[in-house]
Amino acid sequence: MAFKHYSPGIGAVGSYQVSGIPWVSGSTLASGEEMQITFPFVTRAVTVAQSGSVGLVRVHFVSTGSMAATSKNYWEMNSNEDALTMNVKCKEIYISNGDGGNATGFQLFAELTRIDTQRMFALTGSGISE
């Protein structure tokens, strides 16, 4: 009899009930720059804070190039230490600088599960890319 190694799947409730594994990042974005943050595991929660006193930080789940032209499927922060916390499962997130002339920074904290990112479906559709 062969034993099979099981790992948690995307619907594993226990993976979202326990405290997540901490994961921290941050950067400075030039005017108009977009950065894709790829997580090593599926997230349980994500917090993004603006760390520049000028500029406009946008948080979204798909590249702005993948959004409909008239879409505003992002969250904006426009002052130092504005923060957004989302209890969301995802394998990547996009941060962009929506300011026309100023660089700005961000800090990111994620709570990770032990769910492999290959098990996560693509985020798309109404409210995300449309």
Side-chain angles (χ1 to χ4, degrees):
M1 177 178 199
F3 291 98
K4 190 170 184 176
H5 174 72
Y6 290 96
S7 61
I10 200 70
V13 175
S15 293
Y16 302 102
Q17 290 177 327
V18 299
S19 297
I21 301 164
W23 193 87
V24 179
S25 185
S27 189
T28 300
L29 299 170
S31 177
E33 183 179 5
E34 177 178 278
M35 181 178 286
Q36 177 185 9
I37 308 294
T38 303
F39 301 110
F41 293 101
V42 174
T43 63
R44 177 185 178 278
V46 178
T47 298
V48 179
Q50 182 168 347
S51 61
S53 59
V54 297
L56 183 65
V57 172
R58 291 180 176 159
V59 179
H60 34 105
F61 293 102
V62 296
S63 172
T64 52
S66 299
M67 289 183 199
T70 58
S71 169
K72 293 198 178 211
N73 296 335
Y74 48 77
W75 187 267
E76 288 185 336
M77 294 177 279
N78 62 5
S79 64
N80 192 27
E81 305 216 4
D82 272 358
L84 169 67
T85 297
M86 303 171 285
N87 292 326
V88 62
K89 58 182 162 192
C90 64
K91 61 182 175 181
E92 61 192 11
I93 197 166
Y94 294 81
I95 314 286
S96 61
N97 182 343
D99 195 306
N102 296 306
T104 192
F106 72 91
Q107 295 174 306
L108 183 144
F109 171 76
E111 292 183 55
L112 303 177
T113 66
R114 292 297 270 166
I115 300 170
D116 192 294
T117 58
Q118 293 178 343
R119 294 181 174 242
M120 181 64 195
F121 51 88
L123 295 175
T124 188
S126 180
I128 295 177
S129 60
E130 297 173 0

